[in-house]
Amino acid sequence: MDDKEILMKNKIKELRKGVLELAVLKIVSEKERYGYDIIEVLKNASLTTSEGTIYPLLTRLKNEGLIFYKWEESDKGPPRKYYTISEKGAELMKELLSEWNNINSGLKRIIGGN
Amino acid sequence: MRNLKDFYAFTNEAQKALENFYTSIRKEGKNNPPEDIEELLESLNEHIEISIREKLRFSNNQRIDAQMMLEILYSLGDPGDIVSELNYGAGSKTENAANEKFNIKYKYIPVQKVLCRSSRDRWVFGVCGGFAEYFGVSSLLLRFLFVFTGVGILFYILLGLLIPDENQVKNGGTSSGANLIISIVRGGFLFFMCLIYIPLLLAFFTAALTSFTNLIGLHTFLPPPILGATPGFLISGMGFVLSFSLLMLLLNLIMQLHFNGGFLKLGSRNVYAFAAVISLIGISLVFANFKNHNKILGESYERFDFKSSKPSITMVFSEKQSYIPVIEKSIEVVGTNDTDSISIDVVKAAYGPNEDTAREYSKDLSVKIEMAPEDKMLFVISSKDASRSYYNFPKLKFIIKIPEKLACKIEADDFTNNYKWGWFAIHDESDVSVSKINATTEVTVENMNMKAENIESEKLSLVGGNGNVAVDNIKVSDFTVRVSNGNVRAEKVESKKSSIKTSAGNIKAVSINADFLKCISAVGNISLDKAAINNESDIASDAGNIKINYRELKPKSSHKISSDVGNIKLVIPEGNSPKVVTSNSVGNTKNEFENAKSSENSPVLNVKTSVGNIRILKE
C-alpha cells in the first residue's frame, strides 16, 4: 500500500465516521438489533470496512444515553445484546437527519457545479 | 465473559491469535474506563462466536483453525482503531438505567449445519462437496459413487438444481441473476413434474385399485374391460412411479426442512405422513399383485379368482379380437404350503361374438399343476358362467405333477359336447387315482402308487418313479405307463397303442386289447391274460419269465416275444395256426405248432430267449 492509498483510505474512513453514528441510530430506531446484525446491515449498505469499530461506537452511543441494550437468549447461538434507541437518541437522530439533509443538499450544490 | 475455548475446538495458533487480539484491546484501552473495555470485549466476543458458528455451518471441519480465526479478526480490524473509536467525538458519559446487566446462564447450542452446494470443494456444481461437508464424508468417494452408478449422473443434475448454492444461502437469498435462473429452472421442473407425475400417479392408483379389487374378489362384479384388465405397462410403470414419488417426497422434505419450502409447497409434515402411508399401501398392493402374477406379458389380459394369495400363477393370454380369449400358452398353478384351495376361472371375458368365431380363435390349453407335499389341497378349475361356453378348448390337456408322499386322488368329470371343460380335484387318499377323464391326461408321480379307472380319452399317460400302477376299465387311443420301480397291473384296457414299461417290476394285464402293444420289463415277469393284439406286439423282459394267454391272434399280425434270461410260455387259442420261430441258446423248447400248416395270412410269432425254456401250447 503506498502513501496515496493509505491517505485515501483514511479520508474515506473519516468521511464515513460522521455518518456512521447517524446510520446506526437509524438502524436501531427501526427495530431491536444485535451487534452482528447491525454490522450485516451496514455491510450490505457498504458503509463499513472494519467491523470491529461498530462495537466501540455502540458503547459510546450507550454511554451518551442515546441507545440502550438488553440481553436476549438465542436458539441459534450465544445470548446477544439487543440495542434500541432511547427517547433522547430519537430526538437527536431527528435533528441529525435534518442536518444531514442540509449538508447533503449543500454539498450537491457545490459538487453539481451549476 | 464467555470463554470460547470451553465450547469450541481451536487449533493452538487460532487460540493464540484470539488471545493476542484480546490482549491488544486491553493494552490499547488501558487509559479507558475498564468497564467500557470489558463491555467492548464482551461484544467482540459475541461477534466472534457468531462468526465462528457461521463458518462452521458451511464447513466439514469442526475445529477452528488459524486461517478461519484470522479471517474473522481481520474483518474486525486493528485493535488500536477499535479502541480509538471509543474516544472519538466522545460526549459526556451519562448513566442509563435501562441497560440491563447480564443475567443469562450461558449454554452451548450445537451448530446447525446447512446442506448446500459447496463453493470451496467444487468440481461441477459442488453437490458432492456440499454433501461431504454436511455429512463429514469424503467428497471424492461421493464423486465416484455418482459417476459409477449410471443413474447417479441424473441424480447429480437434479440435486444440483434443487440444492441452493452456498453463497446464495450465506447472502440470505438476496435476488440476483443466478437466483432468477434457478427459479426459472425450478418452475420448469415443477411444470415437468405436473406433466409426468400426475398422470403416472393416476396410473399407479388405477393399477393399485385393480390389484386390490383382484385381491378381495370385487372384480367379479365389475366388467372385465374396466378393472379386470391390468396391462403390463401399468404394472411396470408402477414401480417407476413409486420410487419416483418416494424420492420426490424425500427431496421435498429436505427442502422443507432446510430452505423454507420445497418445490411442491405442500406445507405441513402431515402431508408427508399421508403420502407415505398411501405409498406404502400402494407398494404392498403391487407386491401382492406381483406375487400372484409373476409373469404377465405384452398385451396380456388375465382374470382369475383365488381364495388364497399364496400360490403363484402364471397366465399368458393375448387378445386378438374384442373380448375373445385366445389361449396361446399354458396356465401354471404352483401350489405352496398351507393352501387350502385354489379356484381358477380361466375363461375371462363375459361376452363375445358367436361360437364359430370363438372356436376359430381358441387353441390348445394345457394346465400344469405342481404341488408341494402337504396334507390336503383342492384345485378347482371350472367354467362357471354359461355365457362363457363359447370358449372351447379342442384338446384339453392336464399335466399333474405330484411330489413324493403326497396322497391324493385326481378326478375329472365328463366333458360333454364341445365344452371340453371340467373340474379337477385332488383329495386326501392313499393313492393317485385318475378316473372319468374324457380328455388327454398325463399323470406324473414320484414314489407313490397310481390308479386309473373308468377313463375314456384320447391319451392317458401315467409316469411314476417308485410305486405300483393299477389301471382298470380304460378306453384310450394312446395309452402309456412308465414306472421305474413297481408292478403294473392292467385290466380291461382297450386302445390303439399301448405301451407299458417298468425298469424293475412285474407286468400283469388281463383283457388287454390293442392294435399295437409294447410291454417291456427290465427285471420282472410279464403275464398277459386274454390278450388281443390286432397288428403288432413287442413283449420283452431282460430277466424274467413271460406268460401270455392269447384270446385272439389276428391274421397277418406279428408278435415278438423275447427274454434274455427266463422261461417263455405262450397259450394260443383254438382255430389259430400261427407261424412260430423260436430260438434259445440254453434250454428246452416245446412247440406244438412246429408242424402246423401256415399260410401267408398266418400270424407270426417270433420267440427268443438266451437262457430259458420255451413252451408254445394249444389251448
Side-chain angles (χ1 to χ4, degrees):
Chain A
M1 229 189 270
D2 57 25
D3 286 354
K4 196 183 150 198
E5 264 179 77
I6 292 168
L7 192 65
M8 178 76 182
K9 219 182 156 198
N10 284 338
K11 291 287 173 203
I12 290 173
K13 218 190 240 172
E14 290 299 311
L15 258 180
R16 276 182 182 156
K17 239 175 199 168
V19 293
L20 211 51
E21 277 187 28
L22 178 56
V24 170
L25 283 174
K26 180 73 187 154
I27 289 165
V28 297
S29 75
E30 279 159 2
K31 73 172 206 196
E32 290 186 348
R33 284 178 191 273
Y34 59 96
Y36 192 92
D37 195 16
I38 294 167
I39 291 169
E40 287 293 304
V41 176
L42 290 171
K43 254 163 61 180
N44 285 336
S46 313
L47 279 175
T48 183
T49 43
S50 55
E51 298 168 8
T53 55
I54 301 304
Y55 293 103
L57 191 148
L58 286 168
T59 307
R60 223 174 57 220
L61 290 176
K62 186 216 76 180
N63 285 344
E64 287 163 359
L66 302 178
I67 58 171
F68 60 95
Y69 64 79
K70 62 175 189 215
W71 285 94
E72 254 174 54
E73 267 184 291
S74 161
D75 56 355
K76 282 179 182 147
R80 288 126 206 242
K81 269 188 231 165
Y82 275 81
Y83 293 90
T84 325
I85 197 159
S86 68
E87 250 172 68
K88 188 178 160 192
E91 277 169 35
L92 194 88
M93 187 187 77
K94 233 181 200 171
E95 283 165 35
L96 279 175
L97 264 178
S98 75
E99 192 50 42
W100 166 251
N101 285 335
N102 284 342
I103 294 170
N104 206 13
S105 56
L107 196 65
K108 253 185 193 166
R109 271 202 299 275
I110 296 165
I111 298 170
N114 18 322
Chain B
M1 196 171 79
R2 190 178 197 193
N3 199 344
L4 295 182
K5 72 169 202 267
D6 294 344
F7 302 96
Y8 304 93
F10 292 90
T11 62
N12 284 339
E13 294 92 337
Q15 203 185 322
K16 208 158 199 176
L18 184 63
E19 277 165 8
N20 285 345
F21 180 75
Y22 287 156
T23 314
S24 302
I25 295 274
R26 283 205 174 89
K27 208 169 134 193
E28 294 284 342
K30 60 178 185 288
N31 296 325
N32 287 74
E35 68 268 22
D36 279 2
I37 294 301
E38 280 316 304
E39 195 176 292
L40 179 60
L41 283 171
E42 199 174 64
S43 293
L44 290 170
N45 203 45
E46 176 192 310
H47 180 98
I48 290 165
E49 183 169 2
I50 295 172
S51 303
I52 285 172
R53 295 177 69 88
E54 274 303 303
K55 288 207 181 285
L56 289 179
R57 286 179 81 195
F58 298 100
S59 162
N60 63 342
N61 197 356
Q62 283 300 336
R63 215 171 151 82
I64 298 132
D65 56 20
Q67 194 202 339
M68 210 186 264
M69 182 49 79
L70 288 175
E71 273 172 26
I72 294 169
L73 296 179
Y74 182 78
S75 69
L76 278 173
D78 176 54
D81 285 355
I82 293 170
V83 175
S84 68
E85 184 67 31
L86 264 181
N87 309 320
Y88 182 82
S92 61
K93 187 176 174 181
T94 55
E95 232 19 86
N96 198 321
N99 290 319
E100 210 179 68
K101 284 272 174 266
F102 178 75
N103 59 359
I104 297 168
K105 199 168 186 217
Y106 273 132
K107 61 174 189 264
Y108 176 71
I109 294 158
V111 175
Q112 177 108 48
K113 288 199 161 202
V114 176
L115 177 62
C116 55
R117 291 185 282 118
S118 175
S119 59
R120 291 171 299 276
D121 190 3
R122 167 176 292 197
W123 283 14
V124 185
F125 290 157
V127 171
C128 293
F131 273 109
E133 283 172 1
Y134 189 74
F135 293 110
V137 292
S138 157
S139 59
L140 200 64
L141 182 73
L142 289 176
R143 279 188 193 107
F144 272 113
L145 286 178
F146 269 109
V147 171
F148 283 108
T149 58
V151 195
I153 295 166
L154 278 177
F155 270 139
Y156 186 91
I157 295 168
L158 193 69
L159 290 171
L161 289 174
L162 295 177
I163 299 175
D165 188 71
E166 181 180 329
N167 295 326
Q168 186 197 336
V169 176
K170 277 183 178 169
N171 295 335
T174 48
S175 64
S176 66
N179 271 359
L180 186 68
I181 291 167
I182 285 171
S183 63
I184 289 168
V185 170
R186 284 191 191 170
F189 183 72
L190 187 61
F191 180 69
F192 173 78
M193 291 287 291
C194 289
L195 271 182
I196 293 204
Y197 193 77
I198 293 169
L200 280 178
L201 214 62
L202 282 175
F204 157 62
F205 276 112
T206 312
L209 189 65
T210 307
S211 312
F212 186 63
T213 52
N214 275 343
L215 274 183
I216 62 169
L218 190 71
H219 67 289
T220 320
F221 309 105
L222 297 166
I226 297 169
L227 280 174
T230 313
F233 76 89
L234 267 189
I235 289 186
S236 54
M238 265 188 287
F240 172 68
V241 171
L242 272 174
S243 49
F244 203 60
S245 42
L246 285 177
L247 174 75
M248 285 304 130
L249 280 174
L250 193 73
L251 281 176
N252 206 37
L253 191 64
I254 293 171
M255 303 283 292
Q256 291 261 340
L257 291 178
H258 284 284
F259 316 119
N260 301 322
F263 46 87
L264 287 180
K265 303 262 180 216
L266 286 177
S268 91
R269 286 185 202 180
N270 294 338
V271 176
Y272 295 105
F274 178 72
V277 169
I278 292 287
S279 299
L280 282 177
I281 291 171
I283 291 172
S284 43
L285 283 175
V286 169
F287 269 103
N289 205 30
F290 269 128
K291 210 174 170 188
N292 296 310
H293 312 52
N294 52 14
K295 206 173 155 197
I296 294 167
L297 296 176
E299 289 281 313
S300 61
Y301 181 99
E302 44 71 39
R303 177 183 153 87
F304 55 89
D305 281 338
F306 46 93
K307 287 171 188 159
S308 159
S309 60
K310 288 281 177 192
S312 81
I313 297 171
T314 308
M315 291 175 153
V316 182
F317 297 113
S318 76
E319 201 169 13
K320 287 181 181 165
Q321 199 171 321
S322 59
Y323 315 130
I324 297 177
V326 179
I327 295 165
E328 287 182 334
K329 287 190 183 170
S330 63
I331 297 171
E332 196 171 353
V333 184
V334 182
T336 55
N337 292 332
D338 58 82
T339 306
D340 290 322
S341 99
I342 304 160
S343 161
I344 309 152
D345 186 357
V346 185
V347 184
K348 47 194 174 141
Y351 47 90
N354 59 53
E355 188 180 345
D356 293 336
T357 329
R359 190 179 294 155
E360 196 182 303
Y361 277 95
S362 26
K363 289 189 179 171
D364 293 1
L365 166 70
S366 113
V367 179
K368 194 172 157 200
I369 301 171
E370 222 169 290
M371 289 161 65
E374 65 195 59
D375 296 334
K376 220 175 202 177
M377 195 186 266
L378 177 71
F379 285 85
V380 180
I381 302 170
S382 64
S383 172
K384 296 171 197 158
D385 191 342
S387 67
R388 293 174 192 165
S389 57
Y390 289 132
Y391 309 120
N392 155 30
F393 308 103
K395 283 182 189 164
L396 183 63
K397 187 172 162 193
F398 290 105
I399 303 166
I400 302 155
K401 195 174 172 194
I402 299 146
E404 199 174 347
K405 287 172 191 165
L406 175 68
C408 60
K409 183 179 174 187
I410 303 161
E411 278 182 8
D413 69 356
D414 292 333
F415 301 111
T416 51
N417 302 326
N418 284 325
Y419 315 135
K420 293 189 177 174
W421 198 241
W423 64 276
F424 235 71
I426 300 171
H427 299 296
D428 184 13
E429 289 214 351
S430 58
D431 292 320
V432 173
S433 88
V434 187
S435 63
K436 290 205 292 183
I437 294 176
N438 201 350
T440 303
T441 308
E442 284 180 29
V443 179
T444 307
V445 298
E446 277 173 45
N447 305 335
M448 66 194 309
N449 301 324
M450 259 189 285
K451 190 177 171 192
E453 55 186 2
N454 306 326
I455 290 172
E456 196 173 311
S457 84
E458 276 289 307
K459 187 180 169 186
L460 175 65
S461 155
L462 303 171
V463 180
N466 301 320
N468 301 325
V469 175
V471 174
D472 191 11
N473 191 19
I474 61 166
K475 210 169 162 182
V476 181
S477 307
D478 185 354
F479 173 54
T480 315
V481 176
R482 234 175 31 243
V483 196
S484 300
N485 289 302
N487 302 322
V488 179
R489 190 190 155 84
E491 266 182 70
K492 288 185 223 151
V493 176
E494 208 174 298
S495 74
K496 281 185 182 143
K497 206 176 113 192
S498 284
S499 163
I500 301 170
K501 277 185 199 173
T502 168
S503 303
N506 303 323
I507 297 173
K508 191 173 178 187
V510 182
S511 287
I512 186 160
N513 185 339
D515 291 347
F516 298 90
L517 174 68
K518 204 172 201 177
C519 278
I520 292 167
S521 167
V523 182
N525 302 323
I526 297 173
S527 155
L528 306 179
D529 195 17
K530 293 181 204 157
I533 294 124
N534 302 327
N535 285 345
E536 217 176 286
S537 72
D538 181 0
I539 318 293
S541 171
D542 287 344
N545 302 324
I546 297 173
K547 197 173 136 191
I548 304 173
N549 282 346
Y550 289 100
R551 192 177 72 207
E552 197 183 357
L553 282 172
K554 282 270 167 75
K556 280 186 173 177
S557 62
S558 132
H559 307 274
K560 196 175 136 195
I561 300 104
S562 64
S563 170
D564 278 350
V565 181
N567 303 322
I568 296 174
K569 183 187 171 191
L570 305 177
V571 180
I572 315 291
E574 263 182 274
N576 283 292
S577 54
K579 189 183 166 191
V580 181
V581 182
T582 62
S583 89
N584 59 341
S585 312
V586 181
N588 305 320
T589 302
K590 185 184 176 188
N591 183 2
E592 292 185 354
F593 293 92
E594 208 167 0
N595 303 315
K597 273 197 281 177
S598 61
S599 66
E600 264 181 36
N601 287 339
S602 295
V604 180
L605 289 172
N606 200 332
V607 187
K608 205 166 96 180
T609 174
S610 302
V611 182
N613 303 323
I614 295 174
R615 279 187 296 161
I616 297 163
L617 309 171
K618 282 181 182 167
E619 194 174 0

